[in-house]
Amino acid sequence: MTFKNPCKPVVLTGDRPTGPLHLGHYVGSLKNRLDLQNRTQPHDIYIMVADTQALTDHFEQPNLVRQCTLELVKDYLAIGIDPEKTTMFIQSQIPELCELTTYFMNLVTVSRLERNPTVKSEIQQKGMQESLPAGFLCYPVSQAADISAFGLPESGNILVPVGQDQMPMIEISNEIVRRFNRLYGPCLQEATGVLSPTARLMGIDGQNKASKSLNNAIYLKDSKDILREKVFQMYTDPGHIHVQDPGKVEGNMIFHYLDAFAPDQEQVHAFKTHYEKGGLGDVVLKKYLFSVLDDLLAPIVEKRHTVRDQDAMEILMEGSKQARQRVQEKMKHVRAAMQLDYSKPMATDPGLHPQVSL
Ligand code: ATP
Ligand code: MG
């Protein structure tokens, strides 16, 4: 078996197959993945379709998760993720990740997991307060396993291109990794989150981050008509009733999206000044934003139509095979460090077992 060059920086990230990818994913994480993929210095890049994690809050909809798994890969290919350079794989096809998650469960307390601000707000949004599945509370532990299973000692910290909401997960992941290394010996690498300038794109409702689960996002596969409809539904300034009224830029989704996507930021600045003074209508701005987003999305939608389901599934199966081999190799070291490799004598180094309190 041949591994990719082990000295390249390792990149691991992923998405939950709970719906199509949207513009928040694009500016928050996908653009950084493309940038890392297309650098002259090659990176060792893995993108995971997190189906096991998606089931933690979609366990009653396995068909949805299955369908979205394929759709995610079609989105990746449509934006230019290249299977020759990036390994795309399915989380559930690597059972060793569940094994590592089990070991990691001992290295974090329930109260630490309950303090995670992203999980706290997701529990609220999903109304799970009374019926919180243990799997959902613990999904950051499985994320820690997903990330650290790909680290290589020569490659330094694992790079994780993510949106702002995932930074608490990286913090927990690093705490677990440090605890593991102190207890069992230096075996795992820490993670570094790679954030983009728009690390949290708001939804068109202006209330929450754009999210598949909240139905407030513009999807990468949206047709022109749907895109126009969503742009014209965007939350603006409710106090800006007549064209001549001065309008608010802060909290206005048209400007939030123009900041994130318009190539001509001088034009955006001029629009802001005019809007605040009064005399610039929402319709003019929405038409401009529509053309900006259409320029970005039309080629993606076109490319997506050329991707066949069968090809997308083959790419995922081949990627899962490669990723699994990589993780299996890592797990040999993990098991040996934890005295779980029964084919070898027990290590007797007393330095490997200091008391570590949680
Ligand atoms: P779900 O509602 O099922 O959690 P989601 O829209 O939050 O879906 P995820 O699959 O959880 O999407 O996130 C995939 C990646 O995209 C993560 O790195 C996440 O931080 C990033 N991301 C998600 N939403 C946004 C957003 N609105 N702005 C920036 N980055 C985002
Ligand atoms: Mg999410």
Side-chain angles (χ1 to χ4, degrees), residues 43-87:
H43 285 56
D44 191 7
I45 308 181
Y46 292 86
I47 298 184
M48 182 182 80
V49 180
D51 60 343
T52 312
Q53 190 192 122
L55 286 169
T56 61
D57 57 340
H58 288 73
F59 51 88
E60 288 170 330
Q61 294 151 282
N63 292 0
L64 174 98
V65 172
R66 172 80 179 251
Q67 182 58 33
C68 292
T69 292
L70 190 71
E71 296 297 321
L72 270 192
V73 182
K74 290 167 82 172
D75 283 336
Y76 295 152
L77 297 170
I79 63 154
I81 299 288
D82 177 356
E84 296 292 321
K85 298 180 180 161
T86 295
T87 306

Side-chain angles (χ1 to χ4, degrees), residues 16 122 165-166 209 211-212:
R16 292 153 38 92
E122 286 173 340
D165 64 318
Q166 293 303 306
K209 87 165 182 73
S211 171
K212 303 184 214 102

Side-chain angles (χ1 to χ4, degrees), residues 46-304:
Y46 292 86
I47 298 184
M48 182 182 80
V49 180
D51 60 343
T52 312
Q53 190 192 122
L55 286 169
T56 61
D57 57 340
H58 288 73
F59 51 88
E60 288 170 330
Q61 294 151 282
N63 292 0
L64 174 98
V65 172
R66 172 80 179 251
Q67 182 58 33
C68 292
T69 292
L70 190 71
E71 296 297 321
L72 270 192
V73 182
K74 290 167 82 172
D75 283 336
Y76 295 152
L77 297 170
I79 63 154
I81 299 288
D82 177 356
E84 296 292 321
K85 298 180 180 161
T86 295
T87 306
M88 290 168 262
F89 69 95
I90 308 179
Q91 185 183 21
S92 65
Q93 300 309 295
I94 309 189
E96 290 78 8
L97 294 175
C98 295
E99 180 188 351
L100 189 57
T101 303
T102 304
Y103 303 147
F104 280 2
M105 290 283 192
N106 304 325
L107 306 182
V108 63
T109 61
V110 172
S111 67
R112 176 68 182 93
L113 294 174
E114 283 170 343
R115 281 203 306 277
N116 182 317
T118 300
V119 173
K120 258 165 101 173
S121 73
E122 286 173 340
I123 289 171
Q124 250 195 344
Q125 271 166 12
K126 293 172 200 288
M128 283 176 166
Q129 292 91 332
E130 300 305 318
S131 56
L132 174 64
F136 190 79
L137 180 68
C138 296
Y139 85 72
V141 185
S142 83
Q143 271 183 269
D146 304 333
I147 299 169
S148 50
F150 285 86
L152 294 173
E154 311 81 9
S155 299
N157 274 22
I158 302 152
L159 305 177
V160 191
V162 279
Q164 186 69 51
D165 64 318
Q166 293 303 306
M167 292 312 276
M169 317 314 189
I170 294 194
E171 212 176 292
I172 289 188
S173 176
N174 286 341
E175 286 168 21
I176 292 175
V177 163
R178 285 195 288 271
R179 216 157 267 158
F180 184 102
N181 288 344
R182 286 207 305 275
L183 271 170
Y184 306 123
C187 180
L188 301 176
Q189 287 66 48
E190 290 188 37
T192 301
V194 180
L195 285 180
S196 80
T198 310
R200 182 183 157 86
L201 186 79
M202 295 297 285
I204 58 171
D205 56 2
Q207 303 301 308
N208 294 290
K209 87 165 182 73
S211 171
K212 303 184 214 102
S213 308
L214 297 175
N215 203 17
N216 62 356
I218 294 175
Y219 297 122
L220 301 185
K221 66 173 196 174
D222 279 345
S223 67
K224 268 187 209 303
D225 287 345
I226 295 179
L227 174 64
R228 192 178 290 105
E229 214 175 284
K230 288 185 178 174
V231 168
F232 275 79
Q233 274 169 13
M234 265 187 181
Y235 179 82
T236 59
D237 170 10
H240 186 246
I241 296 162
H242 307 291
V243 172
Q244 63 275 19
D245 293 341
K248 279 198 199 112
V249 165
E250 187 68 34
N252 185 321
M253 289 306 106
I254 305 182
F255 289 109
H256 180 62
Y257 277 69
L258 286 176
D259 285 344
F261 296 101
D264 184 354
Q265 286 297 317
E266 272 180 32
Q267 173 67 74
V268 174
H269 182 74
F271 276 148
K272 284 181 181 171
T273 314
H274 192 173
Y275 194 75
E276 284 176 326
K277 217 169 74 197
L280 180 58
D282 282 6
V283 172
V284 173
L285 288 171
K286 284 180 170 173
K287 282 187 177 159
Y288 179 70
L289 177 60
F290 168 75
S291 77
V292 164
L293 295 179
D294 188 43
D295 286 348
L296 172 71
L297 294 185
I300 296 177
V301 172
E302 201 183 315
K303 171 106 188 270
R304 203 179 191 284

Side-chain angles (χ1 to χ4, degrees), residues 8 18 41 213 272 297 340 351:
K8 289 190 262 183
T18 51
Q41 185 210 6
S213 308
K272 284 181 181 171
L297 294 185
L340 294 170

